[in-house]
Amino acid sequence: MTVNKWLIFGLLLASMPAPAQACGPDALGVSREIAVGGAPQIGLKTYPRTLSLADHEVVLTFDDGPSPATRKVLDALAAQCAKATFFLIGRNAQAMPELVRREIAEGHTVGSHSWSHPSKSLRALDLADGIAEIERGDKAVAAASGGTASHFFRFPGFGDSPALLEAAAMRKMPVFGTDLWASDWNPMTSERELNLLMTRLRKAGRGMILLHDIHRQTADMIPSLLRTLHAEGFKLVHLVPGPDAPELRAAPDGWTSETEAFYRKMFGELARPTPRPQQSTN
Ligand SMILES: [Zn+2]
């Protein structure tokens, strides 16, 4: 081959997706998938029902990306053959489509998290503006992914409302709250973030976990988190789009919405969204 041919050959190799990671028993991996379709509302911080996870089963979700720190998160997940769900801000997806495509190529699930993540939350906007944020975010993520993203949706700051939930349901968008978080919007060391999250997870025993792949402290924590989950016998469940709503588990008696309590404190006049009667908890 001439030098030019070698150069072209090299460029072709570099543009190919990385080969699938060979993971043995030392890796966390994925233990099973749950297909999510329909328009359920899932996650105990906000809704009185969540995924039907067994003891020691966890789901990893990341919000607010893609961002430069996303690369490190993806590297750490790939090293453990672990899969996650990414809820992307539409304008970030539009700005960094290569990272959206990488998430998809590496087997993760991609959903949306509004177009611009308004600081006031969608419920504080005019209804038409709130719906436009949902639609534009969903379209931007779909475009950046080449049409392969899911229609999974998570409200910025969990700031939903009955009308916005209805709008999402009409568009067949499953709405995700979460069960656990690492409070990684607060600056802290990766070690402290890991300890905080694992303490909460050991107490809960299972659950959907919310992290943010815009924070370096979180990206730095992921390798240790995945190793710790594996060492402590936690199993990773991967969410994928499906035709129907999955089996859900009802919240324990005495459940209250933690995120709603926050919004009541912030904006006392906004009432708790009424749970939709057609929601199944079986
Ligand atoms: Zn967010």
Side-chain angles (χ1 to χ4, degrees):
M1 279 189 201
T2 65
V3 172
N4 271 348
K5 279 183 180 163
W6 278 113
L7 183 65
I8 290 164
F9 184 60
L11 286 172
L12 272 174
L13 274 182
S15 67
M16 288 166 69
Q21 201 91 21
C23 283
D26 290 342
L28 177 63
V30 169
S31 68
R32 69 179 177 114
E33 292 183 344
I34 293 180
V36 181
Q41 297 148 12
I42 303 170
L44 296 175
K45 292 280 192 191
T46 307
Y47 306 109
R49 65 196 76 84
T50 193
L51 297 164
S52 190
L53 296 176
D55 180 45
H56 273 65
E57 283 190 330
V58 297
V59 168
L60 291 178
T61 68
F62 292 89
D63 285 8
D64 295 2
S67 85
T70 304
R71 293 187 182 89
K72 190 162 186 185
V73 172
L74 289 172
D75 290 346
L77 292 169
Q80 291 280 335
C81 292
K83 308 291 180 208
T85 298
F86 290 85
F87 291 94
L88 308 182
I89 297 175
R91 65 184 180 188
N92 290 3
Q94 190 179 72
M96 286 167 275
E98 71 285 357
L99 280 175
V100 184
R101 289 195 297 271
R102 184 178 163 193
E103 288 169 349
I104 297 273
E106 294 183 5
H108 304 293
T109 295
V110 167
S112 67
H113 190 47
S114 82
W115 162 250
S116 68
H117 208 294
S119 58
K120 290 193 296 184
S121 87
L122 301 196
R123 73 160 59 182
L125 304 179
D126 288 344
L127 179 58
D129 293 340
I131 293 173
E133 274 281 339
I134 295 173
E135 285 187 332
R136 196 174 170 197
D138 182 60
K139 283 200 181 100
V141 170
S145 72
T148 56
S150 74
H151 295 292
F152 290 6
F153 180 71
R154 184 178 267 151
F155 281 93
F158 306 102
D160 63 8
S161 71
L164 288 170
L165 287 170
E166 196 58 42
M170 282 170 59
R171 289 159 181 77
K172 294 270 181 244
M173 298 173 79
V175 171
F176 290 82
T178 194
D179 299 325
L180 290 160
W181 51 49
S183 303
D184 64 349
W185 47 86
N186 294 321
M188 65 183 100
T189 64
S190 297
E191 291 73 23
R192 172 155 168 65
E193 189 177 321
L194 178 65
N195 285 337
L196 187 62
L197 177 56
M198 288 309 302
T199 301
R200 291 170 177 173
L201 178 58
R202 288 176 196 124
K203 190 170 168 213
R206 60 186 156 179
M208 173 165 40
I209 297 169
L210 163 66
L211 296 161
H212 293 82
D213 56 314
I214 50 167
H215 298 309
R216 179 59 64 176
Q217 70 193 37
T218 295
D220 290 345
M221 180 196 70
I222 301 302
S224 328
L225 172 65
L226 301 179
R227 280 195 302 271
T228 307
L229 289 173
H230 191 43
E232 297 192 17
F234 285 95
K235 305 287 182 200
L236 186 60
V237 175
H238 183 37
L239 303 181
V240 295
D244 303 309
E247 181 187 343
L248 297 174
R249 175 168 62 89
D253 288 346
W255 172 90
T256 57
S257 165
E258 194 175 328
T259 57
E260 196 56 29
F262 166 81
Y263 278 105
R264 283 211 174 146
K265 212 163 130 190
M266 293 278 292
F267 317 101
E269 75 282 7
L270 292 171
R272 163 81 209 144
T274 311
R276 288 156 23 85
Q278 62 267 44
Q279 280 289 325
S280 163
T281 56
N282 62 12

XYZ file of all heavy atoms in Angstrom, residues 62-65 87 89 113-114 117 154-158 210-212 214, ligand 1:
155
model
N -28.815 8.903 33.930
C -27.999 10.122 33.940
C -28.777 11.250 33.269
O -29.321 11.069 32.185
C -26.699 9.894 33.162
C -25.756 8.925 33.814
C -25.839 7.560 33.535
C -24.788 9.359 34.708
C -24.974 6.647 34.135
C -23.909 8.459 35.309
C -24.006 7.109 35.025
N -28.786 12.412 33.892
C -29.503 13.573 33.351
C -28.548 14.688 32.913
O -27.418 14.786 33.391
C -30.413 14.183 34.430
C -31.672 13.355 34.672
O -31.767 12.239 34.130
O -32.540 13.833 35.413
N -29.088 15.548 32.039
C -28.523 16.863 31.710
C -27.415 16.850 30.656
O -26.928 17.894 30.262
C -27.999 17.621 32.941
C -29.104 17.996 33.916
O -30.272 17.638 33.662
O -28.798 18.633 34.939
N -26.992 15.671 30.193
C -25.953 15.626 29.169
C -26.544 15.854 27.786
O -27.715 16.233 27.678
N -30.961 10.815 29.997
C -32.010 11.793 29.688
C -31.311 13.088 29.276
O -30.731 13.798 30.112
C -32.910 12.000 30.913
C -33.741 10.789 31.230
C -33.312 9.847 32.146
C -34.951 10.577 30.577
C -34.078 8.715 32.428
C -35.725 9.450 30.852
C -35.290 8.519 31.779
N -30.645 16.858 27.546
C -31.214 18.171 27.259
C -31.118 18.370 25.741
O -30.044 18.182 25.149
C -30.444 19.270 28.021
C -30.595 19.063 29.534
C -30.928 20.656 27.605
C -29.769 20.034 30.372
N -35.035 15.331 28.191
C -35.119 16.015 29.490
C -35.409 17.498 29.241
O -34.804 18.348 29.865
C -33.775 15.798 30.186
C -33.688 16.195 31.621
N -34.623 15.862 32.569
C -32.718 16.888 32.285
C -34.229 16.341 33.759
N -33.098 16.977 33.606
N -36.301 17.746 28.279
C -36.698 19.079 27.807
C -35.675 19.658 26.829
O -34.603 19.093 26.643
C -36.940 20.074 28.958
O -35.718 20.643 29.414
N -34.021 22.899 29.692
C -33.951 22.761 31.156
C -34.156 24.116 31.848
O -33.281 24.615 32.572
C -32.584 22.187 31.560
C -32.605 21.395 32.840
N -32.873 21.966 34.059
C -32.366 20.080 33.075
C -32.787 21.018 34.988
N -32.500 19.871 34.426
N -37.911 12.714 31.271
C -37.840 13.082 32.686
C -37.977 14.597 32.791
O -37.292 15.338 32.096
C -36.527 12.607 33.305
C -36.435 12.874 34.795
C -35.134 12.347 35.387
N -35.256 10.999 35.914
C -34.242 10.122 35.963
N -33.073 10.453 35.487
N -34.417 8.923 36.498
N -38.889 15.062 33.652
C -39.088 16.502 33.835
C -37.863 17.110 34.523
O -37.395 16.565 35.530
C -40.316 16.765 34.716
C -41.624 16.654 33.993
C -42.332 15.460 33.966
C -42.147 17.756 33.317
C -43.538 15.359 33.284
C -43.351 17.668 32.637
C -44.048 16.461 32.623
N -37.378 18.244 34.021
C -36.311 18.947 34.730
C -36.768 19.274 36.151
O -37.865 19.814 36.338
C -36.111 20.239 33.922
C -36.680 19.951 32.590
C -37.781 18.936 32.795
N -35.961 18.897 37.117
C -36.304 19.173 38.518
C -37.591 18.484 38.957
O -38.159 18.858 39.974
N -38.059 17.497 38.179
C -39.313 16.770 38.468
C -40.513 17.721 38.537
O -41.512 17.415 39.184
C -39.192 15.955 39.768
C -37.993 15.033 39.758
C -36.837 15.351 40.443
C -38.026 13.863 39.008
C -35.726 14.512 40.406
C -36.917 13.026 38.954
C -35.771 13.358 39.663
N -30.540 8.238 40.120
C -30.323 9.431 39.282
C -28.941 10.024 39.554
O -28.585 10.312 40.698
C -31.380 10.494 39.609
C -31.068 11.916 39.136
C -31.042 12.011 37.620
C -32.065 12.915 39.702
N -28.178 10.204 38.454
C -26.887 10.893 38.502
C -26.868 11.925 37.376
O -27.777 11.954 36.547
C -25.753 9.877 38.311
C -25.643 8.812 39.417
C -24.847 7.608 38.924
C -25.000 9.413 40.667
N -25.845 12.754 37.345
C -25.733 13.794 36.317
C -24.371 13.681 35.631
O -23.342 13.873 36.298
C -25.899 15.182 36.938
C -27.286 15.433 37.458
N -27.709 14.997 38.688
C -28.357 16.064 36.879
C -28.982 15.354 38.862
N -29.404 15.993 37.785
N -23.004 15.651 33.728
C -22.376 16.951 33.461
C -21.340 17.277 34.540
O -20.601 18.242 34.400
C -23.396 18.109 33.399
C -24.311 18.075 34.623
C -24.181 18.068 32.121
C -25.135 19.341 34.801
Zn -31.901 18.008 34.998
